[in-house]
Amino acid sequence: MTFPSRDDLIDFVYEEARMIDDGRFDEWLDLWTEDGYYWMPLDYKQEDPHLVTSLLYEDEFLRKLRVERLKGERTFSQKPKSRCHHVLSRPFVDEMDRDNGLFVTHTPLHYVETRLDEQFMLAANARHELVLVDDELKIRLKRVDLLNSDAAFGNIQLFV
Amino acid sequence: MGRYSGNRSAVEALIRPTQVHRDVYIDDEVFDLEMKHLFANTWVFVGHDSQVPNKGDYFATEIGRQPVLMARHSNGEVYVMHNRCPHKGTKIVIDREGNTGKFFRCPYHAWSFKTDGCLLAIPLKKGYKDTGLEESEAAKGLAPVGAVKNYRGFIFARLNAEGPGFEEFFGDSLSSIDNMVDRSPEGRLEVAGPPLRYMHQCNWKMLVENQTDTCHPMVAHESSAGTAVKLWESLEKPEGTKKPMAMEVIAPFMSPYEFFEEMGIRTWPNGHGHTGVHHSIHSDYSAIPGYFEQMVEAHGEERAKEILGENRHNTVYFPNIMIKGPIQQLRIFIPLAANKTLVESYIYRLVGAPDMLLQRTAMYNRLINAPTSVVGHDDLEMYERAQEGLHSDGLEWVNVQRLYVEGEDMDETAVENGTTERQMRNQFHAWKKYMTMTMETAQ
């Protein structure tokens, strides 16, 4: 792969969502750079992930912990398991910075999660900052801004 | 008279020395009585004064089910009043916080009130001439709560005009707030960002009890903390590798029973108490460069060591908050219904201390107490299973007997084995006291 095309970037974002919906979490872990972060701010237009609370700010260790936990025998909040479902709007390609190898997409999406008789929906915007590692696209930062990030939620157990 | 309303002895009979009746968690009438009596007789946390730093700033919340607002008045003091126009009942503010300028103005008919609640003006006032309005309660402005206390920045209020005094109610338990504030080289805290907001389909008391339940972490949190420990070991890092901050935060949840037994529990009168008398899950965090030196400069070495040597785990302030002094966190368990509780988790900056401390606190908050937290998920699962399970008619009583000693006196401060359920019994002792304090005695 030389440089990704717009379609490559868009396909990547769709494929990531499909992996989550299919429960292919080990494959999903491989989509990230070693120093990548999965960030879900708590506040509308939050800029700082460190000195105020976020819903998520997960490095490689914490992403792996989440995936390993989902496999556990004593993961009580996942007995029975949750399922989730993404509907993505076509991602906008916001940046194609070939000089610095940085590619940025913006994706409005709806996310549905279900377990037992409960089901809830979240609306969100996802920003993917993608880089090339050994000619493969990897996620350096995925930022998910929930439309109602300041609302009171019950458990959100999978990955938006 | 219902089963419990107007029936003081029925309410008292819900609490036994080592058992509590399930109706304290699931009965709507008991919940209504809690709102009417328990949350009106006790000192309930409203907010932190750094949430309203400037004149005209306000913050809206609830005491029990009562909508209230706290505001910074022109004299610099914080006032707490009912969020309800004395005219037609409209809530004066509907957003959670903001600045109202010099006065509140009701959006319905433009009655206006000073930021201490006093009536300022009514449009077309001549319409009230000779009607005796000045004698009515409407003319008094926004109704104040019964009493307000600003304790080192923490604002508490009692809804009832009569009741226990602030010092009488909290007594020595205030030492936990003192320790949290003393950890700032400047002796001051500031709220850091909005709180996490986590909805629980369970009774509020389950959350309060869980704060000093030291026999659940290694069981309910095996899936998160246990997996974290295994994952870290599987990475086979060279010996002496510094653990990441997330591991420091989450791994101690898997400590063995002995660790929790030895940490100790202290109970104070009126339902307050804390885990972590001798050590806690917060004891072994890495030192943050420069912080100790700042504390020595501010307090002297001996006092600095004394402050930082205190590592209390969870301090429950009855009825419905918990604070963590060593990491400057406060959680409030807001009762919405017998089976519905909103949990808000706040963090505070130690003014003058290194940012790294706040960074660790923010990490703790999101890793442990967020609706997206792998630790919180299992806690909520337990509470909601209990809320459903309590409807079983197989048994009617919940057991709180661990390390019970016959004749134990909750009006005495005590330090005991860290796995005792004495603090839960202490809470129910206080529950009975403040539930029935303003109930009529049976005829």
Side-chain angles (χ1 to χ4, degrees), chain B residues 160-310:
Chain B
N160 281 347
E162 304 291 325
F166 181 83
E167 302 285 344
E168 174 195 344
F169 184 68
F170 285 119
D172 291 339
S173 73
L174 293 170
S175 54
S176 285
I177 289 181
D178 288 338
N179 182 258
M180 180 148 95
V181 181
D182 289 343
R183 285 168 175 266
S184 154
E186 297 180 22
R188 208 153 51 83
L189 303 178
E190 275 177 5
V191 71
L196 287 164
R197 305 180 71 240
Y198 197 172
M199 195 64 82
H200 286 53
Q201 307 298 328
C202 70
N203 189 269
W204 63 277
K205 293 187 291 302
M206 290 183 185
L207 282 133
V208 182
E209 282 165 51
N210 193 59
Q211 304 311 308
T212 60
D213 183 322
T214 49
C215 288
H216 87 283
M218 67 298 283
V219 181
H221 301 309
E222 184 183 336
S223 77
S224 48
T227 303
V229 171
K230 279 189 195 149
L231 184 59
W232 177 249
E233 284 167 0
S234 77
L235 298 177
E236 297 183 337
K237 301 278 184 189
E239 195 144 336
T241 304
K242 191 173 178 305
K243 281 184 191 164
M245 197 184 266
M247 269 297 287
E248 282 194 358
V249 164
I250 206 168
F253 281 72
M254 274 314 276
S255 302
Y257 287 114
E258 294 73 31
F259 176 90
F260 290 99
E261 286 188 305
E262 287 161 16
M263 75 151 67
I265 282 182
R266 179 181 282 123
T267 71
W268 293 287
N270 296 317
H272 318 300
H274 79 95
T275 46
V277 178
H278 310 297
H279 60 261
S280 78
I281 64 167
H282 306 304
S283 298
D284 293 329
Y285 292 168
S286 302
I288 301 296
Y291 175 51
F292 181 67
E293 291 73 13
Q294 287 179 324
M295 288 293 284
V296 169
E297 192 169 332
H299 299 287
E301 185 166 341
E302 194 179 339
R303 178 75 185 126
K305 281 183 174 164
E306 192 179 33
I307 294 166
L308 300 176
E310 194 73 61

Side-chain angles (χ1 to χ4, degrees), chain A residues 55 66 77 115 153 155-156, chain B residues 198-199 222 371-372 378 381:
Chain A
L55 288 162
R66 270 179 199 275
S77 79
R115 180 174 173 252
F153 301 107
N155 281 346
I156 303 172
Chain B
Y198 197 172
M199 195 64 82
E222 184 183 336
T372 38
D378 287 314
E381 177 72 16

Side-chain angles (χ1 to χ4, degrees), chain A residues 12 16 20 25 27-39 58-60 63 128 131 133 137-143 159:
Chain A
F12 181 94
E16 191 231 354
I20 297 170
F25 298 123
E27 282 179 67
W28 180 73
L29 288 176
D30 289 335
L31 294 180
W32 301 76
T33 66
E34 276 181 24
D35 58 354
Y37 275 91
Y38 175 35
W39 185 20
E58 308 264 299
D59 61 8
E60 185 175 45
R63 292 192 302 272
H128 286 75
V131 294
V133 177
L137 281 171
K138 299 279 180 187
I139 306 169
R140 190 180 73 181
L141 176 69
K142 178 179 177 182
R143 172 180 171 140
F159 308 99

